[in-house]
Amino acid sequence: MGIFYITTPIYYVNAEPHAGHAYTTIAADVLARYHRLKGDEVFFLTGVDEHGENIQKVANQNEISPQAYCDQIAPTFTTLWERLNISYDIFLRTTSELHKNGVKKFLNTLYETGDIYKGKYEGYYCRPCERFFTEKEQGEDKICPIHKLRLEWVEEDNYFFALSKYQNPLIKHIHENPGFIQPEARCNEILSVLESGLEDVSISRASVSWGIPLPFDTEHISYVWIEALSNYVTALGYTGNDDRFQTFWPANVHLMAKDIVRFHAIIWPAMLMAVNLPLPKHVVAHGWLTKDGEALSKTRGIFIDMDADIATYGLDAFRYYLLREFSFGNDGDYRPNRLHSRYNADLGNDLGNLLNRTLGLVSKNFDGIPEPTTPENLDDEVIQMATETVSKVDSLMNQLAFDMVLEAIWEFVRRVNRYIHQTQVWTLAKSEESKGRMGTILYNSMEALRVIAVLISPFMPSTASRICRQIGLNDSSEEQNLNTIRSWGGLQAGVEIGKPEPIFPRLEMKERQTPGKASSVQPQEVEETHLISIDDFQNLDLRVATIIEAEKVPRADKLLKLKADLGDEKRQVIAGIAEHYTPDELIGKQVILVANLQPAKIRGIESQGMVLAAAGEKDLVLGTLEKPVAPGTKVR
Ligand code: ME8
């Protein structure tokens, strides 16, 4: 059993939380839940950053005291986290005594190291960022790149932290600890900042009154960032010998978006080095969640309507979409129509149907969970894939590759659906003899569902519980864990199954559901559920494309970047075929391209379509044409 301490940033309370905050917090929740499943002792910290000039200003605008203002806003965060089923262990408020006492202790320790000195600060300052910009960062026009506001010239008597002294120790630490800053692009960014030289940072503000006074000079208020960063230790009751602190420090993962990685990967580690504390193991920055390609902004009315989408698709589908759709380190554009497609395809068609058809057949033909008989090759394949999937998920989870974790689980879901199809299990009820075989296949399908339920439980906790109840694990998914799914046969034959009910009823695009209403939709006939209409098929724009260029995508073993000629236009396509084709052998090949697929960014590169291939368990063969035709020809 290991220890796992995970943190989100503590969010500013100058406005209510939005989907960007939800994205980080859901990702942290998934990790916390996954480590609990592994049997680790987990501590999951989130909270709010309540001090500083910006909060003071909003409170003034609202004509209330900053404390009263914070007391009003902080609960909007906890309410949202409850709605999003966030399993945090502590919600830290920086106005709490726990934090204030910890900060005093931390700053005194820092002061005693001799790395703090008093000086005058003159520089360009961004008020919303609450920070000075170094000369290199200011640029010629002196505009803050985040807030697009002109930087102000500010002169102050401040206390400074001798950050510059830590330039080389930080570079050394990064080189000696691969994976300290993730992903690699962010690590390189930090290294280049470090290599171009560090300036000392001011750690107090003379002109701000809403904050924690410096313990060694109470005339000065601690700079909000310095105070906020220390929340990661104050939340553990930092006193140097507190039990929780001893158990959980150093943090395993500090999670955030790329906007604040410099604070976490430079200033915070330097502060820790100064006071002689171990550094966090990983500082992980995910990408930016955008809407229609634009940054979320309340003032500009660019927001993600979480309430509407959760009401329509349910919380678990929303959580699934956020982590399945985007590659974690990259920016991701939130698109309700993609959520809709994933809901119907991945959740309804793949997972929901697997559960429905399995349980439908069990309840129609058996009293409770059927007894398995001697396995055949096909059964062994499924059982082996279950074990492989558990290992694959573990390794991808350690890389925080959430999208790939879910893809690996869904490869298994689709494999089990294919198993049901290959064995034509629904035809086996005819005779007593074939019914034995039917029982084995259905038992295995239920076992597969048990494995799937446990693996998805960090992402979709309520869905996992519902599946567990339906497959006869009376209680919930809670008694299951990563160990229980490492061996096959956890379900007891003869046990009564729960009431089969659809978990993701199909939704039409315009249909907005209210919570609770969803389950009133009836499941379709089990054997018909994989059929599509001719209209569905005609929605696909399939075209012949000639590959005119092909090259490997750097640092992506499976991906090739193709340029395809469609007659009157050229398309760039990222295809997961690098393990099966070399770039050279592709030139001149004619393939079939899904031409009206929404463009997507794969590893940061735009892909404008998808090539069709036959994908077996091990082989992948491109669909080509029997004889050459004009590029762009429609395939029907
Ligand atoms: O920076 N996409 O607080 P903050 C993805 N108080 N993540 C987003 C996002 C978006 N569009 N918008 C916000 C602060 N986030 C400081 C932190 S920590 C010691 C102090 C998430 O309210 C993301 O995690 O501005 C980002 O790093 C954080 O909110 C910034 O939150």
Side-chain angles (χ1 to χ4, degrees):
M1 193 168 102
I3 298 290
F4 189 73
Y5 176 30
I6 175 144
T7 68
T8 72
I10 45 169
Y11 305 111
Y12 286 131
V13 290
N14 53 350
E16 289 184 6
H18 57 66
H21 302 119
Y23 183 53
T24 315
T25 314
I26 291 174
D29 185 55
V30 168
L31 280 173
R33 287 176 184 270
Y34 184 73
H35 281 269
R36 288 190 200 109
L37 268 190
K38 281 181 90 156
D40 289 347
E41 195 179 340
V42 172
F43 194 70
F44 171 13
L45 157 69
T46 188
V48 280
D49 194 352
E50 304 181 277
H51 289 128
E53 191 176 357
N54 287 327
I55 312 293
Q56 193 175 347
K57 205 161 115 196
V58 188
N60 290 348
Q61 282 160 3
N62 284 279
E63 296 178 352
I64 49 173
S65 71
Q67 185 64 58
Y69 170 77
C70 292
D71 290 345
Q72 272 177 16
I73 292 274
T76 63
F77 284 81
T78 44
T79 306
L80 178 61
W81 302 152
E82 260 155 51
R83 273 191 27 235
L84 298 180
N85 205 354
I86 304 298
S87 61
Y88 60 82
D89 293 297
I90 187 169
F91 179 79
L92 184 89
R93 294 186 56 179
T94 55
T95 49
S96 65
E97 289 308 310
L98 176 71
H99 178 69
K100 287 195 226 170
N101 291 335
V103 167
K104 281 181 197 150
K105 158 110 182 134
F106 192 90
L107 290 178
N108 266 333
T109 317
L110 198 57
Y111 190 62
E112 283 158 15
T113 62
D115 279 346
I116 303 281
Y117 63 92
K118 201 170 180 183
K120 193 173 185 65
Y121 203 98
E122 298 181 335
Y124 282 99
Y125 191 73
C126 169
R127 290 205 179 269
C129 285
E130 297 206 38
R131 73 176 185 97
F132 285 102
F133 277 61
T134 63
E135 231 169 80
K136 284 182 219 101
E137 290 171 323
Q138 285 159 21
E140 286 208 345
D141 48 3
K142 310 227 173 333
I143 302 276
C144 164
I146 297 167
H147 297 96
K148 315 283 179 223
L149 293 173
R150 190 163 289 282
L151 301 174
E152 276 178 57
W153 179 257
V154 171
E155 294 179 12
E156 269 189 12
D157 276 338
N158 280 170
Y159 280 90
F160 285 82
F161 168 53
L163 181 66
S164 54
K165 196 173 138 182
Y166 294 93
Q167 177 181 348
N168 289 331
L170 285 170
I171 294 176
K172 186 164 174 269
H173 184 85
I174 293 171
H175 286 308
E176 284 174 359
N177 294 275
F180 171 56
I181 303 165
Q182 293 176 28
E184 210 181 314
R186 297 278 91 78
C187 182
N188 293 338
E189 174 191 318
I190 295 298
L191 274 174
S192 88
V193 173
L194 286 169
E195 273 150 13
S196 65
L198 288 182
E199 293 175 20
D200 291 350
V201 283
S202 65
I203 62 149
S204 65
R205 290 287 177 273
S207 56
V208 177
S209 60
W210 177 236
I212 303 176
L214 291 180
F216 47 85
D217 183 348
T218 49
E219 294 293 296
H220 290 255
I221 296 293
S222 334
Y223 169 39
V224 65
W225 261 106
I226 296 292
E227 178 226 305
L229 287 165
S230 55
N231 91 92
Y232 300 125
V233 292
T234 67
L236 298 176
Y238 166 72
T239 56
N241 53 16
D242 184 277
D243 270 359
R244 192 175 264 174
F245 179 75
Q246 294 299 328
T247 309
F248 290 104
W249 190 257
N252 295 73
V253 179
H254 285 326
L255 200 61
M256 70 212 69
K258 58 190 179 184
D259 56 335
I260 54 176
V261 70
R262 291 187 189 193
F263 290 98
H264 288 80
I266 298 178
I267 300 181
W268 176 229
M271 285 162 66
L272 289 164
M273 281 178 175
V275 300
N276 215 5
L277 280 178
L279 306 199
K281 292 185 186 144
H282 304 287
V283 172
V284 181
H286 59 70
W288 215 228
L289 198 59
T290 58
K291 180 77 198 300
D292 302 323
E294 299 217 49
L296 305 181
S297 156
K298 202 173 171 185
T299 42
R300 293 170 55 220
I302 302 170
F303 70 101
I304 291 168
D305 194 346
M306 291 190 279
D307 287 342
D309 286 342
I310 291 171
T312 305
Y313 301 102
L315 171 63
D316 280 3
F318 175 74
R319 287 173 58 116
Y320 171 81
Y321 167 72
L322 284 182
L323 293 169
R324 174 65 189 89
E325 186 75 358
F326 314 118
S327 161
F328 197 54
N330 296 339
D331 292 351
D333 198 36
Y334 186 94
R335 297 188 186 160
N337 62 340
R338 291 290 304 147
L339 165 58
H340 181 85
S341 310
R342 286 213 177 269
Y343 174 90
N344 278 336
D346 303 3
L347 302 181
N349 221 26
D350 292 341
L351 180 59
N353 274 343
L354 175 61
L355 182 71
N356 274 355
R357 30 169 48 187
T358 305
L359 294 186
L361 289 168
V362 170
S363 61
K364 203 160 137 194
N365 298 290
F366 297 88
D367 287 330
I369 300 175
E371 178 92 45
T373 55
T374 322
E376 296 182 5
N377 282 351
L378 214 48
D379 308 324
D380 287 338
E381 261 180 43
V382 170
I383 297 170
Q384 193 187 333
M385 187 169 179
T387 319
E388 285 165 6
T389 306
V390 177
S391 309
K392 207 165 170 186
V393 164
D394 195 46
S395 122
L396 291 168
M397 206 62 154
N398 288 335
Q399 299 163 39
L400 311 194
F402 300 114
D403 58 333
M404 287 158 81
V405 167
L406 288 167
E407 179 51 26
I409 302 172
W410 255 256
E411 271 171 22
F412 183 54
V413 171
R414 288 190 286 263
R415 177 68 192 90
V416 185
N417 268 324
R418 216 164 54 246
Y419 169 66
I420 290 183
H421 212 77
Q422 281 170 316
T423 53
Q424 302 270 301
V425 64
W426 59 91
T427 62
L428 300 176
K430 288 180 294 231
S431 70
E432 269 318 300
E433 203 194 341
S434 62
K435 222 172 149 189
R437 178 76 192 123
M438 183 183 204
T440 306
I441 296 162
L442 291 176
Y443 179 85
N444 286 335
S445 307
M446 289 186 70
E447 266 293 286
L449 279 159
R450 181 176 70 90
V451 173
I452 291 162
V454 174
L455 292 179
I456 65 169
S457 66
F459 299 87
M460 302 197 279
S462 330
T463 304
S465 298
R466 290 178 71 191
I467 295 176
C468 281
R469 279 196 298 272
Q470 291 195 37
I471 61 173
L473 293 167
N474 274 337
D475 206 359
S476 67
S477 55
E478 270 158 32
E479 45 192 69
Q480 298 289 323
N481 57 47
L482 279 197
N483 260 338
T484 66
I485 56 168
R486 281 189 210 277
S487 41
W488 202 253
L491 291 173
Q492 294 269 312
V495 167
E496 215 179 300
I497 61 167
K499 189 166 166 279
E501 48 182 44
I503 46 173
F504 296 109
R506 195 174 176 81
L507 290 177
E508 294 312 321
M509 189 61 190
K510 289 276 172 288
E511 203 177 333
R512 289 255 166 194
Q513 295 268 340
T514 45
K517 221 177 141 195
S519 59
S520 65
V521 179
Q522 289 303 309
Q524 306 202 340
E525 260 304 297
V526 281
E527 273 77 48
E528 283 178 8
T529 45
H530 272 317
L531 302 180
I532 61 164
S533 70
I534 186 74
D535 290 347
D536 288 338
F537 177 72
Q538 278 170 349
N539 281 336
L540 290 176
D541 184 12
L542 300 176
R543 294 196 180 261
V544 174
T546 309
I547 299 178
I548 49 176
E549 281 174 30
E551 61 180 270
K552 286 197 155 252
V553 174
R555 290 188 301 280
D557 294 342
K558 295 191 176 159
L559 300 181
L560 288 184
K561 184 165 92 177
L562 311 176
K563 170 99 45 85
D565 180 6
L566 274 111
D568 51 7
E569 64 165 314
K570 311 252 183 309
R571 294 280 186 95
Q572 172 173 291
V573 177
I574 305 298
I577 57 174
E579 289 176 326
H580 306 274
Y581 289 90
T582 61
D584 284 348
E585 67 183 307
L586 288 170
I587 307 296
K589 253 196 206 322
Q590 288 207 305
V591 291
I592 299 169
L593 185 89
V594 184
N596 61 342
L597 196 67
Q598 206 148 42
K601 283 228 163 122
I602 302 174
R603 296 286 171 103
I605 311 171
E606 181 158 288
S607 182
Q608 303 154 333
M610 186 172 78
V611 291
L612 297 188
E617 227 51 285
K618 295 199 175 70
D619 290 324
L620 184 140
V621 182
L622 283 173
T624 52
L625 292 147
E626 203 199 333
K627 55 183 177 194
V629 291
T633 306
K634 196 159 171 51
V635 179
R636 288 182 286 186

